[in-house]
Amino acid sequence: MSTAEGAVAAARAWLAQDPDPETRAELEQLLAAADDGDADAAADLADRFGARLAFGTAGLRGELGAGSNRMNRVLVAQAAAGFAAFLRERAGLGETDPADGDTDADAEPARVPTVVVGYDGRRNSRVFAEDSAQIFAGAGLRAILLPRLLPTPVLAFAVRHLDADAGVMVTASHNPPNDNGYKVYLGGADEGAQIVAPVDAEIAAHIDRIAAEADAAALPRSLAFETAPESVVEAYVEATAAVAPASAGAEGLRWVYTAMHGVGWETVQRIVERAGYPAPITVDAQRDPDGTFPTVSFPNPEEPGAMDLAFATAREHGADLVIANDPDADRLAVAVPDEDAEGGWRRLTGNQIGLLLGWRAARLAAESGVTDGTLACSLVSSPGLQTVAEHFGLRSAATLTGFKWISRAPGIVFGFEEALGYLVNPETVRDKDGISAAVAFLGMVSDARTEGRGIRDLLNEFDETFGFFASDQISVRVDDLSVIGRVMSALRADPPARIGEVEVDRVDDLLTGVDELPPGDVLRYWLADGSRVIVRPSGTEPKLKVYLDVRGDSADDAAARIHAVTTAMRDLVDALSA
């Protein structure tokens, strides 16, 4: 059977189990066009059915549509059934036959696992969440659906608050509008953190087995799932407001907030009021959930243009500060007035925010007498956090990218990732949380205002205290993923002896394991002047990412160093990817 014939056969088999009229119609139209000799339709079918959307430590994430290589109700049903089988096996329960729901008669009595399911405002998020809850309940698990669309941090909180064994969040975070995804969390000893290897492979094996053996339409379902009470959300609001109650300096603070068309606003509004901060000026066009994201081409605060409406609102109202969450509110962006910046506003880098929040966490730990806590960040984030930890006599940890790793640092009191992710409240949420991070940042700003200072003063004090760190990043978005593999292979086969005018002292290839880190597709270059360059594929987007960090003798020196190394690496990556 040819590839084209195999794709057509797979598509017809898919149709037989697809409960979604929209994706069925989409697939029927493609099949009809392919039957009429449409080459584009045949190529589209081959793309949709030539592979399966892989389940990994990030769960599932991909474009919505029909097919095994897209996010849809069939794929989600198989994922939920596979995850349920994993949880039953882990709990010592007998397996559930995917065809009829019968359990092994000889299974030993065991605690029935509890799974909490949340969802955001993207297309199909609620449908995917309800399908999952029904399948979990149909597999004999206790399934609890959050009461409405809510931020990802609320789901991460609920896993621990409800003493659940697992959680699922239906979201694609800050991905393009037509994407959706499926994040998986574990309770118990994992304390509500996202899954890591080898659990991802174990779950994936169950999903693949069910996809091969069972018709998704025949998977057992039950409407006997629960809906979480509002008290769960209230508990998150209370815990997050307590992160940084407003000080006297909050009075008169004028700040702008944007939810980026996501689900953050309702929860943020309750929390800042509870904590005593002035209500923000909202970017009204982006305040309420809208899965089409009409005012942004890419709903990520890091992307150029994504915060333009927030800046315009800030200029109109003479604001002191802009705070943004991404669509599922697990990331935080901050911008400040800057006369030298285009439009008069400058977004702080993820490293700048992370170092300020880490400094705050270290001070609080010192004031509380904590001496064995850990400040943790991903290995691509600023090495300045280690300097802060050493200053306060705390431990530091650099992990693989992702909060699934950062959150597991022993004794963590704070964690961050340069991609706008911050963990400031590890006792309640073991994941990045853009809302609690926003409250912590508001607290820091308010405390500075009581002393007649602003954010620029805090940044200057940090530099004077800990050193002049500068960071930059290069992101190369590709249409063909093989380009990324080609660049990584070329860098491994012929590593550069110099980057710009500076010699490379050492190269770490994390595929072989370095510094007790799990293996990963990461290359790290240490330069003779102390600079560091890291190259890796993105884990969630079709991008090659390059992270650059330097430490200078002054702000100007650091700026010159980072400019030189960034220019050199951009030229090298452009040449290799051409």
Side-chain angles (χ1 to χ4, degrees):
M1 182 183 295
S2 69
T3 301
E5 290 171 336
V8 168
R12 296 198 187 283
W14 191 273
L15 268 178
Q17 57 181 326
D18 190 349
D20 189 330
E22 182 176 338
T23 47
R24 284 180 58 83
E26 177 185 309
L27 198 51
E28 286 169 346
Q29 185 175 1
L30 273 176
L31 283 166
D35 288 343
D36 288 341
D38 187 325
D40 289 340
D44 194 357
L45 285 173
D47 179 59
R48 289 167 183 262
F49 291 96
R52 182 176 178 83
L53 202 62
F55 183 94
T57 54
L60 293 168
R61 194 176 293 189
E63 184 181 355
L64 290 164
S68 58
N69 201 25
R70 300 287 190 272
M71 280 294 296
N72 49 66
R73 293 183 68 185
V74 173
L75 198 79
V76 166
Q78 293 166 344
F83 190 34
F86 164 82
L87 292 171
R88 290 184 63 88
E89 180 180 76
R90 200 181 211 207
L93 294 170
E95 284 197 19
T96 301
D97 186 323
D100 60 19
D102 289 343
T103 57
D104 293 342
D106 297 332
E108 293 293 325
R111 178 180 181 269
V112 173
T114 297
V115 188
V116 187
V117 183
Y119 58 98
D120 69 3
R122 283 181 176 264
R123 286 181 51 212
N124 281 5
S125 284
R126 179 168 182 167
V127 173
F128 292 164
E130 290 179 344
D131 279 348
S132 297
Q134 291 176 17
I135 287 172
F136 291 143
L141 308 184
R142 182 189 178 203
I144 304 173
L145 184 66
L146 291 185
R148 58 184 178 282
L149 51 86
L150 286 161
T152 292
V154 178
L155 182 279
F157 170 83
V159 172
R160 296 176 75 181
H161 182 72
L162 296 172
D163 192 26
D165 299 273
V168 167
M169 182 69 191
V170 181
T171 178
S173 190
H174 58 284
N175 271 39
N178 202 39
D179 284 9
N180 214 326
Y182 204 76
K183 287 185 180 179
V184 176
Y185 297 78
L186 290 177
D190 293 275
E191 299 187 279
Q194 291 187 57
I195 59 170
V196 294
V199 166
D200 59 330
E202 295 170 11
I203 297 171
H206 282 290
I207 295 172
D208 290 345
R209 174 180 59 82
I210 284 168
E213 295 177 357
D215 184 334
L219 290 169
R221 292 173 178 252
S222 171
L223 296 178
F225 61 85
E226 305 170 33
T227 300
E230 184 62 29
S231 60
V232 174
V233 183
E234 174 62 23
Y236 173 80
V237 168
E238 183 177 354
T240 307
V243 165
S247 62
E251 186 175 351
L253 177 66
R254 295 179 64 79
W255 61 291
V256 167
Y257 174 78
T258 176
M260 205 68 67
H261 297 295
V263 294
W265 168 239
E266 180 197 14
T267 308
V268 167
Q269 180 184 30
R270 291 173 61 180
I271 289 168
V272 296
E273 181 180 6
R274 181 76 56 88
Y277 292 97
I281 302 155
T282 60
V283 180
D284 292 343
Q286 298 177 340
R287 187 186 66 185
D288 299 323
D290 186 338
T292 66
F293 303 100
T295 69
V296 287
S297 57
F298 204 105
N300 179 356
E302 292 181 291
E303 293 290 327
M307 293 183 65
D308 284 355
L309 280 180
F311 295 160
T313 304
R315 288 193 296 270
E316 179 184 351
H317 292 274
D320 306 301
L321 179 71
V322 170
I323 282 180
N325 287 136
D326 69 334
D328 69 328
D330 65 350
R331 298 177 191 236
L332 167 73
V334 175
V336 297
D338 186 340
E339 294 177 357
D340 297 328
E342 183 178 353
W345 280 83
R346 175 171 61 92
R347 186 176 62 77
L348 300 185
T349 69
N351 279 324
Q352 287 176 314
I353 299 169
L355 292 178
L356 288 180
L357 290 174
W359 182 20
R360 171 187 179 273
R363 286 199 308 268
L364 291 175
E367 292 169 5
S368 302
V370 175
T371 58
D372 60 348
T374 299
L375 304 183
C377 65
S378 64
L379 60 88
V380 299
S381 301
S382 175
L385 191 68
Q386 179 179 346
T387 303
V388 175
E390 291 169 350
H391 181 88
F392 286 94
L394 298 171
R395 296 190 301 267
S396 64
T399 74
L400 290 182
T401 55
F403 274 81
K404 54 186 173 284
W405 299 111
I406 295 170
S407 65
R408 286 178 165 83
I412 187 169
V413 296
F414 171 78
F416 94 96
E417 190 166 65
E418 51 70 43
L420 305 183
Y422 313 97
L423 190 163
V424 304
N425 198 12
E427 295 308 309
T428 55
V429 176
R430 285 297 175 103
D431 194 14
K432 59 184 177 289
D433 181 348
I435 299 176
S436 62
V439 173
F441 203 91
L442 286 171
M444 194 163 47
V445 170
S446 299
D447 290 345
R449 281 166 58 90
T450 62
E451 302 168 355
R453 303 196 300 157
I455 298 172
R456 187 183 297 272
D457 298 307
L458 293 178
L459 291 168
N460 290 339
E461 184 184 352
F462 182 95
D463 290 345
E464 295 292 341
T465 304
F466 302 107
F468 297 89
F469 294 90
S471 304
D472 202 354
Q473 184 181 137
I474 302 167
S475 290
V476 180
R477 183 176 290 274
V478 300
D479 295 323
D480 181 358
L481 287 175
S482 68
V483 172
I484 294 176
R486 187 172 74 239
V487 173
M488 295 299 291
S489 295
L491 289 171
R492 286 191 166 94
D494 186 19
R498 308 176 70 86
I499 294 178
E501 299 300 318
V502 186
E503 291 186 2
V504 175
D505 268 354
R506 188 174 88 249
V507 181
D508 295 333
D509 186 346
L510 271 64
L511 272 183
T512 61
V514 175
D515 296 338
E516 300 181 351
L517 291 168
D521 190 7
V522 180
L523 291 168
R524 181 168 58 185
Y525 301 91
W526 299 97
L527 279 58
D529 66 353
S531 301
R532 186 189 72 185
V533 176
I534 295 175
V535 186
R536 74 172 184 95
S538 169
T540 57
E541 301 175 76
K543 286 181 179 180
L544 180 73
K545 306 189 85 170
V546 183
Y547 306 84
L548 312 111
D549 288 282
V550 304
R551 184 175 183 177
D553 298 325
S554 66
D556 288 343
D557 181 47
R561 289 173 186 255
I562 198 68
H563 176 73
V565 72
T566 300
T567 300
M569 280 304 299
R570 191 180 299 279
D571 290 344
L572 176 59
V573 170
D574 285 348
L576 293 175
S577 58

